[in-house]
Each structure stands twice: as C-alpha cells, then as structure tokens.
Amino acid sequence: MESSFATTVLLPIALAVIMFGLGLSLTLKDFARVLTYPRAVLVALGCQTILLPAACFGMVHLLGLAPELAVGMMLLAASPGGTTANLFSHLAHGDVALNITLTAVNSVLAVVTLPVVVNLSLDYFLGDGAAIGLQFDKTLQVFAIVLIPVALGLLARSRAPGLATRAERPVKLLSVLFLVATIAAAVFQERANIAGYLADVGVAAVLFSVLSIAVGYLAPRLLRVDVRQSIAAAMEIGIHNSVLAITVALSPVLLNNPRIAIPAAVYGVVMFGTAGAFGYLISRRVRAPAPRPGPG
C-alpha cells in the first residue's frame, strides 16, 4: 500500500470526523458507568490491552510473518474498538451501554497503550537500527489524532446538547461517506496489488479477527461475566479501529511505512464477515433485551 493523497490526507480527515462523531455520542456518564459493572469493564480492558496483544504476538510468530507485516498486526491488536462495534453488538443482542463505555475508556487508554505496544514491536521485529519508529515522544501525535476529536465532540455535546443530538446522525453519515470514498480511492489505486496483499496477510487477518472475537467473548464468560456483556466485549475487542491503524502506519509524523498498513487494510475488509457470522450465530442463542416501557 503506497502513500497517496487519499491515504495521507483524506484518511486522517476521515478518522478525525469519525472520532468527532464518536465524541458527539458520548457523555461523562459513559465514563462514570465503569462503576456500574466494574467486572465486565476490567475483564474487557484486560483482554484488549494485555491478552490480545500477547495472543497476536504468538500468532505472528506461528505464521512466520515478515517483520513489517508482524508490526502491522501488532499495531492492529493495539488499536481500540472500531465505531461499528456498537452496531454489531446491538444486532447480536449485546449490552450496547457497555460497548459505549468500553469505547470511551479505550479511546483514552489507546493514547498510552498503542505507542507502547507498537514501539516494543518495532524494537523486537525490526531491531534497534530500524529507520522507522513510533517513539514514546510521539505519544502527543497519537493523542492529537485519537483523543482531541473525541474531546471536541464531548465538549460540543456538553455545551449544546440539542444541537449535538441533531448533528450526531449527519456527522455519522458524513464520516461513513468520507471513509467509503477514501477507501474506494485507495483500493482503486492499489487494485493491481490487492491479490498480493491477500496472499501476504489474508490468512493472518482472518485468524486474528476470529481470535479477537473469541478472546473477547470466552474470557469474560470464563470469568462469569453476563452473556450480553460478554457479547458486547466480543464486539468491542473483535472489531478494531482499522482506520486508526492505517493512519498511524501511513502518517509522515508517525510510522510513515505503507507496508505496515497492509494488515489493517486487509483486516478492515475481512472482519465484517467474521463479526457478522459471530453476531448471527450468537443472536440465535441469546434473546433480545425486552423493550423499555414507554412513558405513562
């Protein structure tokens, strides 16, 4: 995947719009809700920040991926849940309120955990003499592309809740359209290389998607987390923000390495199939939550 106007300019803008839209959908109560079900939150965050990167590390070793592709997989593992996790969780009868809380907390944690995981991966797979690097002093750039748009969205919602509520759907629609157009432009430019990308990391991307969902669902269930909360955790952990991973990989001020972006680009396509299959199968075993009674 070569750098282009679509990937180096449009993609960061699309990510900023997506993260701003996420902020519009959040309130401070979403962070405070951690206290409502601490077990589910702590288990999910443990899976996201510790267990999954460790499992991904073992997988890339087992598959013998090339060093830059291995770093790309670790970058993907360190990326927080994608914004579509809430939708998939809803369709699979998961606890969407938990999804919103996990997304909010994960967006903050990623500012620290993503640079740590990626920097360690760069040192291990590419060595100290690597010409690229996401050093710890780059955390500020990660903060800028992850947290600032979310914070602006939160601020807009707190200052003008009515306007933010009305703007939430148009902003989401705009972010989806922007993202689809950007990805379409990038895919068109890379059409001759797509078969090669699938050959390089197609198996790894599918296995990682299945692994993420399995860890996200089975670990909470083994630790006696409610089934609907476990579904929410599976979607949050199983649907990574591939746009963030691609942006970090391609950004001139961060990794600036198109090859590291390949795993996230392939995963961003295959994960819809694996997450959709899991959602369909689990929704047949779990009843949808009863609708809330209307006023009066």
Side-chain angles (χ1 to χ4, degrees):
M1 174 174 285
E2 296 298 327
S3 298
S4 66
F5 179 77
T7 55
T8 59
V9 177
L10 296 182
L11 196 61
I13 294 175
L15 177 63
V17 174
I18 290 170
M19 301 306 283
F20 178 76
L22 172 61
L24 285 178
S25 68
L26 298 176
T27 67
L28 293 179
K29 290 181 180 179
D30 297 321
F31 293 89
R33 200 185 290 123
V34 171
L35 301 177
T36 305
Y37 24 64
R39 181 201 293 267
V41 172
L42 289 175
V43 170
L45 293 179
C47 291
Q48 176 77 58
T49 59
I50 300 173
L51 184 56
L52 188 60
C56 183
F57 180 79
M59 185 196 75
V60 298
H61 263 291
L62 184 64
L63 295 177
L65 290 184
E68 289 172 317
L69 298 179
V71 172
M73 291 302 305
M74 294 302 296
L75 167 60
L76 190 58
S79 299
T83 55
T84 54
N86 296 355
L87 173 61
F88 274 88
S89 183
H90 170 70
L91 295 175
H93 305 158
D95 187 337
V96 179
L98 176 60
N99 277 106
I100 294 172
T101 295
L102 290 174
T103 300
V105 177
N106 259 332
S107 298
V108 177
L109 284 180
V111 174
V112 176
T113 58
L114 191 147
V116 170
V117 171
V118 174
N119 202 51
L120 291 174
S121 301
L122 287 166
D123 286 342
Y124 183 85
F125 289 108
L126 292 172
D128 293 335
I132 58 174
L134 182 63
Q135 305 302 325
F136 289 100
D137 62 355
K138 300 286 187 174
T139 300
L140 188 60
Q141 280 89 2
V142 178
F143 175 87
I145 65 174
V146 175
L147 211 53
I148 288 180
V150 174
L152 290 175
L154 267 167
L155 181 63
R157 187 178 182 90
S158 65
R159 294 292 178 88
L163 179 61
T165 301
R166 291 192 298 272
E168 186 177 337
R169 180 170 292 182
V171 169
K172 283 184 177 179
L173 179 60
L174 176 63
S175 66
V176 170
L177 293 176
F178 211 122
L179 180 59
V180 169
T182 303
I183 292 176
V187 168
F188 179 77
Q189 181 180 346
E190 296 293 317
R191 60 193 182 281
N193 301 319
I194 289 176
Y197 295 158
L198 289 174
D200 287 340
V201 293
V203 172
V206 173
L207 288 178
F208 176 72
S209 183
V210 173
L211 178 66
S212 299
I213 294 171
V215 166
Y217 181 74
L218 294 177
R221 291 301 289 151
L222 289 173
L223 293 173
R224 297 181 296 175
V225 172
D226 170 80
V227 64
R228 289 187 61 235
Q229 293 180 341
S230 297
I231 293 171
M235 293 305 183
E236 193 68 30
I237 296 166
I239 301 177
H240 297 267
N241 193 335
S242 57
V243 180
L244 173 61
I246 294 171
T247 303
V248 170
L250 294 179
S251 173
V253 297
L254 293 172
L255 295 181
N256 195 27
N257 189 307
R259 190 161 172 78
I260 291 178
I262 292 174
V266 175
Y267 166 86
V269 176
V270 303
M271 69 89 179
F272 285 102
T274 51
F278 169 76
Y280 172 75
L281 293 174
I282 201 69
S283 66
R284 301 185 68 181
R285 299 181 55 190
V286 178
R287 286 187 178 184
R292 294 181 180 180

